[in-house]
C-alpha cells in the first residue's frame, strides 16, 4: 500500500497554492486537464496531512513514523486543524466539478463532504466526552497493545515511542474531561460508575499483568537475547516511571472530580439534556447515518421496523412449535440450558465452527475476496466486563496482523447460542472482516476513500451480512433464525432508544422496554448496549439506515434485471468503491444496473 511522507501541515499548504485559469482563457480540454491536475494536487496534500493527524490508519499501512505516535486529542490540537481544513475546503471550491471525469467528480464530492463535516464537528468540542462506557485512555491503550505486533527491532523501538507518548495522551484526556465538567458536557452517573471501576483496575496493574507488555511477550528471532532484554527493560521503565503515575492521576480524577459532577437524575442521561446537546445530536444523526434524516424521522422508522420484524418473529416461533405467548418464548430462550455453554472453550469452538462454515460459502456470493485472513479470538479478560458480546478489530497485511473477530466469553449464561450465527456473520465474514479487509486492499482508490468514515456503510454492511446468512445456509434451526431476527430487532430498537434517550429525553427504563419486550437479548447484553448508546450518541443509528439502503438497492436491481441479476457482481458494485454515504451508494447501484442492462443486451 502507498506510504505517505508526513510533512508539516503549514509547509503543505504553503507550497501547493495554484491558480485555475478562467473559462475565457482556456479550451474545454485545457480546463479539464487543469481541473484534474488541481484536484490531484489537493488530494495528495490532504492525504499527507490526514495521515499525520491519524497515526492509527497511517501506522496500519506501514508508516514507521506513524507507528511511533499517538493522535493529538487536545483541544489545542483539534482547533489547529481548522486552518488547514478551511484551506482545503476553499481550494476544492475553486474547481468546477463539470470539468472533471465521473471518477474525479466523485472524489471531489466525497472529499468536499468530508472536509465540510470535519469543520462543522470542530465547533462541537466532542472530545469533552473523554471516555465512553468501555473506558477512556486505558481502554484505548489496551486495544492498541492487542493490535501491535513486534517482529523487528524497529517495531520494538516504535512501540517504545508510543508508550512514551501515552502519558501525554492521558493528560490531554484529563484536560478534555475537566473542560466537559466546566461546560456541563459530562457523562451521566450510570456510565461514570462503570468506568470508575475499570480505571481503578487499570491503576492497579502490575508488570506481570499489564496489557502494555503483551507486544513484548515473545522475543522475535530477529532480535538477540541481549537486545531483547534491553528493549523489555526500557518498556518496563516507561510503564513504571511514566504510565503508572498518570493512570493513578486519571483514576483519582475520575473518582474525586468527575463522579461528583456527573448527573444522577433519571432524565438526565441524554445528550439533549446538555448545553448545546440537541444541536450536537442532530449533527451526529447526520454524521453517522450519512443522510439528512432528522431524529424524529429516524425514531418513526425505528418504530415501523419493530412492528415489521415482530411479525416475522411470530412465524419462526410457530416453526419452532411454540404455542405459548411471545413473552414466554423470550423467557424460554433466555433461560433454557440447551441454548448456553458453560466454558469459554466451548463458546470459542462454536464461534470458530460458524466462521468456517461461513468461509465455505463466500465464493458463491462474492467475486472479489480479501487476501488478509482473520482469526477468532476471545475478548481479553481485563476488559470483558464492559465489552459488547462481539467485535471486529481490523488487521494490517503490511504489519503482519490478521483481522480479529473478538468473542466475549464472560457471563456465558447471558450469551445464547441462537444469536451466535448472526453475530459471527456480522463481525467476521461476510461482514466486517470481508468489507474492511477488502477496503484496505483497494489500491486503485485514493487513500482518503479507502479509509473513509461512513459508519452507515460499514455497519449497514455488517447487518446486511446477517441477512445473507439465509442464502449461505448458516441458520439451521428456527431458534437460530429467531436469533437472527432478534439481532435485527436489536438494531431497530437502537433507532427508537437512541433517539428516545438523546432527543426525546427518555430515561433508561423507557429505552430498555423496546429491547426487553421485542428481542431475546439477555439482561446483561441489554444493559451493556444501553450504556453504550448513552455514552456514544448517534452511532447506534447507522446500522439500520445502512442495511435498509443496501437491501433497497438490491431489490431495485433484482426487479430491474430479473434473471440477469448476478449477486456476485452486485456485491462488487457495493464494495469495490469503498465506504460511501448512502446517497452515493444508491447512485452507484443505479449506474451499475444500467451497465448490467447493457451487458445483457
Amino acid at each position: 500500500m502507498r506510504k505517505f511522507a508526513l510533512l508539516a501541515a503549514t509547509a503543505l499548504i504553503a507550497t501547493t497554492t495554484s491558480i485555475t485559469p478562467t473559462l475565457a482563457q482556456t479550451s474545454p480540454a485545457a480546463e479539464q486537464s487543469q481541473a484534474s491536475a488541481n484536484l490531484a494536487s489537493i488530494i495528495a496534500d490532504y492525504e499527507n496531512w490526514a495521515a499525520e493527524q491519524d497515526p492509527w490508519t497511517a501506522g496500519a499501512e506501514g508508516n514507521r513514523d506513524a507507528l511511533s505516535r499517538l493522535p493529538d486529542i487536545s483541544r489545542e490540537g483539534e482547533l489547529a486543524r481548522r486552518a488547514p481544513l478551511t484551506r482545503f475546503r476553499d481550494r476544492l471550491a475553486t474547481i468546477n466539478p463539470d470539468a472533471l471525469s465521473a471518477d474525479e467528480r466523485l472524489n471531489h464530492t466525497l472529499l468536499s463532504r468530508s472536509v465540510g463535516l470535519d469543520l462543522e464537528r470542530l465547533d462541537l468540542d466532542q472530545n469533552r466526552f473523554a471516555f465512553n462506557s468501555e473506558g477512556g485512555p486505558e481502554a484505548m491503550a489496551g486495544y492498541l497493545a492487542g493490535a501491535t505486533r513486534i517482529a523487528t527491532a524497529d517495531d520494538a523501538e516504535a512501540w517504545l515511542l508510543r508508550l512514551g507518548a501515552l502519558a501525554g495522551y492521558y493528560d490531554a484526556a484529563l484536560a478534555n474531561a475537566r473542560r466537559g465538567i466546566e461546560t456541563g458536557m459530562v457523562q451521566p452517573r450510570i456510565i461514570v460508575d462503570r468506568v470508575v471501576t475499570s480505571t481503578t483496575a487499570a491503576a492497579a496493574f502490575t508488570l506481570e499483568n499489564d496489557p502494555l507488555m503483551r507486544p513484548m511477550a515473545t522475543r522475535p528471532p530477529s532480535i538477540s537475547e541481549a537486545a531483547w532484554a534491553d528493549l523489555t527493560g526500557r518498556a518496563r521503565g516507561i510503564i513504571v516511571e511514566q504510565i503508572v503515575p498518570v493512570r493513578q492521576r486519571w483514576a483519582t480524577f475520575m473518582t474525586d472530580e468527575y463522579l461528583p459532577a456527573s448527573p444522577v437524575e433519571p432524565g438526565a442521561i441524554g445528550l439533549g439534556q446538555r448545553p448545546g446537546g440537541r444541536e450536537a445530536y442532530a449533527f451526529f444523526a447526520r454524521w453517522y447515518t450519512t443522510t439528512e434524516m432528522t431524529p424524529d424521522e429516524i425514531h418513526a422508522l425505528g418504530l415501523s421496523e419493530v412492528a415489521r420484524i415482530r411479525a416475522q418473529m411470530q412465524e419462526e416461533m410457530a416453526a419452532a412449535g411454540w404455542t405459548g405467548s411471545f413473552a414466554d418464548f423470550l423467557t424460554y430462550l433466555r433461560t433454557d440450558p440447551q441454548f448456553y455453554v458453560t466454558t469459554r472453550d466451548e463458546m470459542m469452538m462454536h464461534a470458530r465452527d460458524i466462521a468456517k462454515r461461513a468461509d465455505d460459502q463466500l465464493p458463491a456470493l462474492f467475486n472479489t475476496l480479501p487476501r488478509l485472513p482473520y482469526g477468532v479470538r476471545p475478548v481479553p479478560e481485563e476488559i470483558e466486563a464492559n465489552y459488547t458480546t462481539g467485535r471486529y478489530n481490523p488487521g494490517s497485511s503490511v504489519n503482519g496482523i490478521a483481522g480479529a473477530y473478538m468473542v466475549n466469553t464472560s457471563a456465558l449464561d447471558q450469551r445464547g447460542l441462537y444469536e451466535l450465527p448472526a453475530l459471527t456473520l456480522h463481525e467476521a465474514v461476510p461482514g466486517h472482516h470481508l468489507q474492511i479487509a477488502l477496503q484496505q486492499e483497494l489500491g486503485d482508490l485514493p487513500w482518503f476513500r479507502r479509509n473513509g468514515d461512513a459508519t452507515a456503510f460499514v455497519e449497514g454492511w455488517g447487518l446486511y451480512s446477517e441477512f445473507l446468512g439465509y442464502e449461505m445456509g448458516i441458520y439451521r434451526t428456527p431458534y437460530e433464525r429467531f436469533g437472527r431476527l432478534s439481532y435485527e430487532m436489536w438494531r431497530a430498537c437502537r433507532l427508537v432508544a437512541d433517539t428516545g434517550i438523546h432527543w426525546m429525553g427518555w430515561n433508561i427504563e423507557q429505552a430498555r422496554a423496546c429491547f426487553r419486550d421485542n428481542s431475546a437479548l439477555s439482561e446483561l447484553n441489554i444493559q451493556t448496549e444501553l450504556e453504550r448508546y448513552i455514552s456514544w450518541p448517534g452511532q447506534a443509528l447507522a446500522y439500520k439506515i445502512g442495511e435498509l439502503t443496501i437491501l433497497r438497492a438490491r431489490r431495485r436491481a433484482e426487479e430491474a434485471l430479473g434473471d440477469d441479476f448476478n449477486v456476485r457482481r452486485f456485491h462488487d458494485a457495493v464494495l469495490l468503491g469503498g465506504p460511501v454515504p448512502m446517497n452515493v451508494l444508491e447512485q452507484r447501484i443505479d449506474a451499475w444496473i444500467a451497465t448490467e442492462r447493457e451487458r445483457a443486451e
Side-chain angles (χ1 to χ4, degrees):
M1 289 189 174
R2 184 176 178 184
K3 299 180 181 178
F4 298 95
L6 299 181
L7 306 175
T10 54
L12 279 170
I13 304 304
T15 59
T16 55
T17 302
S18 61
I19 300 174
T20 304
T22 65
L23 292 177
Q25 296 172 324
T26 183
S27 67
E31 183 194 4
Q32 181 174 358
S33 177
Q34 185 65 57
S36 296
N38 288 346
L39 179 62
S41 176
I42 295 169
I43 289 174
D45 293 343
Y46 174 82
E47 290 182 341
N48 276 298
W49 176 80
E52 184 167 340
Q53 305 304 306
D54 180 11
W56 305 134
T57 303
E61 295 200 339
N63 187 297
R64 179 61 57 189
D65 178 72
L67 286 168
S68 68
R69 294 187 294 108
L70 295 175
D72 184 354
I73 62 169
S74 69
R75 184 57 174 166
E76 295 76 16
E78 187 177 39
L79 290 175
R81 299 180 189 119
R82 189 186 301 277
L85 283 168
T86 299
R87 287 191 282 266
F88 285 124
R89 181 197 64 191
D90 293 347
R91 290 174 65 193
L92 286 163
T94 67
I95 295 176
N96 176 14
D98 293 336
L100 300 170
S101 69
D103 286 342
E104 290 170 335
R105 196 156 50 246
L106 179 56
N107 288 338
H108 183 272
T109 296
L110 293 175
L111 185 55
S112 297
R113 175 185 180 276
S114 179
V115 168
L117 286 172
D118 283 343
L119 279 167
E120 190 175 352
R121 189 168 60 165
L122 284 177
D123 294 329
L124 300 179
D125 195 4
Q126 185 179 353
N127 286 345
R128 286 177 292 175
F129 281 141
F131 59 89
N132 59 30
S133 62
E134 294 181 4
E138 76 287 350
M140 180 281 299
Y143 165 78
L144 190 60
T148 297
R149 174 177 177 266
I150 294 177
T152 67
D154 285 344
D155 293 337
E157 293 289 352
W159 176 240
L160 293 181
L161 287 170
R162 267 192 168 169
L163 283 179
L166 190 53
Y169 189 95
Y170 265 94
D171 285 336
L174 197 150
N176 288 337
R178 277 208 175 105
R179 194 171 64 259
I181 294 174
E182 294 165 0
T183 58
M185 193 62 77
V186 292
Q187 296 282 17
R189 181 67 57 88
I190 190 173
I191 305 302
V192 183
D193 283 338
R194 180 180 286 272
V195 175
V196 163
T197 301
S198 64
T199 56
T200 302
F205 283 146
T206 65
L207 287 173
E208 287 69 34
N209 68 359
D210 198 314
L212 298 180
M213 287 300 297
R214 283 184 185 151
M216 309 197 75
T218 304
R219 178 179 66 86
S222 63
I223 304 177
S224 69
E225 291 186 10
W228 189 245
D230 174 68
L231 290 165
T232 54
R234 288 162 58 195
R236 293 189 186 100
I238 292 170
I239 292 172
V240 170
E241 296 167 18
Q242 300 178 39
I243 298 173
V244 167
V246 78
R247 275 176 176 160
Q248 293 171 345
R249 286 201 303 274
W250 174 254
T252 299
F253 162 77
M254 288 295 300
T255 301
D256 295 351
E257 295 185 48
Y258 203 100
L259 186 66
S262 61
V264 296
E265 300 87 0
I269 60 174
L271 182 60
Q273 281 69 57
R274 307 288 179 269
R278 287 183 69 80
E279 295 80 3
Y281 186 70
F283 171 83
F284 290 136
R286 289 190 291 115
W287 173 277
Y288 286 115
T289 69
T290 73
T291 74
E292 295 299 317
M293 293 182 71
T294 67
D296 290 317
E297 291 170 336
I298 293 169
H299 189 86
L301 175 63
L303 291 174
S304 68
E305 282 294 283
V306 167
R308 181 187 64 79
I309 299 165
R310 180 70 178 259
Q312 292 183 322
M313 295 171 97
Q314 295 286 161
E315 295 175 6
E316 293 300 342
M317 283 172 49
W322 189 263
T323 57
S325 70
F326 187 86
D328 287 344
F329 188 66
L330 296 184
T331 300
Y332 171 62
L333 291 177
R334 289 169 177 158
T335 58
D336 194 286
Q338 70 173 301
F339 300 119
Y340 298 87
V341 296
T342 57
T343 69
R344 295 175 185 267
D345 286 344
E346 286 180 289
M347 177 61 78
M348 294 302 296
M349 178 188 69
H350 281 282
R352 291 184 180 117
D353 174 70
I354 297 166
K356 290 310 296 180
R357 288 199 288 120
D359 285 342
D360 183 55
Q361 296 301 310
L362 294 181
L365 293 176
F366 296 91
N367 275 327
T368 308
L369 297 172
R371 296 185 299 275
L372 185 72
Y374 70 96
V376 185
R377 307 173 194 165
V379 173
E381 292 186 23
E382 71 270 8
I383 64 172
E384 63 186 10
N386 291 0
Y387 210 77
T388 53
T389 192
R391 190 77 57 83
Y392 175 71
N393 291 340
S396 169
S397 58
V398 70
N399 292 330
I401 301 171
Y405 164 35
M406 309 297 293
V407 180
N408 199 324
T409 58
S410 69
L412 292 172
D413 63 339
Q414 301 287 300
R415 308 196 189 280
L417 293 178
Y418 49 82
E419 297 174 339
L420 197 56
L423 175 69
T424 303
L425 294 170
H426 184 110
E427 304 295 348
V429 294
H432 285 331
H433 174 72
L434 188 151
Q435 181 261 313
I436 292 172
L438 193 61
Q439 170 185 319
Q440 292 170 330
E441 296 170 10
L442 296 176
D444 292 338
L445 286 185
W447 179 86
F448 86 90
R449 283 185 58 186
R450 292 200 306 276
N451 298 289
D453 191 357
T455 308
F457 183 95
V458 176
E459 296 298 353
W461 177 264
L463 186 48
Y464 169 75
S465 295
E466 297 175 28
F467 161 79
L468 289 180
Y470 291 117
E471 297 175 32
M472 300 169 73
I474 299 299
Y475 306 117
R476 297 185 292 192
T477 69
Y479 302 112
E480 290 182 345
R481 293 192 295 273
F482 189 94
R484 182 260 157 186
L485 289 170
S486 180
Y487 258 37
E488 189 181 12
M489 179 67 81
W490 169 23
R491 281 39 167 265
C493 285
R494 283 181 175 184
L495 301 183
V496 176
D498 201 85
T499 51
I501 290 168
H502 295 294
W503 189 252
M504 298 174 176
W506 286 6
N507 62 40
I508 194 170
E509 294 309 317
Q510 288 173 287
R512 189 190 310 277
C514 187
F515 303 94
R516 181 194 61 221
D517 298 342
N518 296 290
S519 80
L521 293 178
S522 68
E523 291 184 10
L524 174 63
N525 282 345
I526 293 172
Q527 184 68 23
T528 300
E529 290 296 325
L530 284 171
E531 291 177 15
R532 177 184 174 193
Y533 311 149
I534 292 166
S535 67
W536 195 359
Q539 193 269 351
L541 307 177
Y543 298 68
K544 251 297 164 184
I545 303 295
E547 178 228 20
L548 289 173
T549 303
I550 296 171
L551 283 172
R552 185 167 59 246
R554 174 169 171 174
R555 287 165 185 153
R556 190 163 65 250
E558 289 173 333
E559 291 172 4
L561 299 174
D563 291 341
D564 293 321
F565 175 80
N566 183 296
V567 70
R568 300 171 81 210
R569 290 202 294 271
F570 171 77
H571 288 152
D572 273 355
V574 172
L575 294 173
L576 298 188
V580 294
M582 295 299 93
N583 66 321
V584 174
L585 175 61
E586 297 216 66
Q587 291 165 11
R588 179 192 297 169
I589 298 306
D590 286 342
W592 176 78
I593 291 171
T595 301
E596 290 294 289
R597 279 175 169 157
E598 292 178 3
R599 176 199 293 267
E601 290 176 356

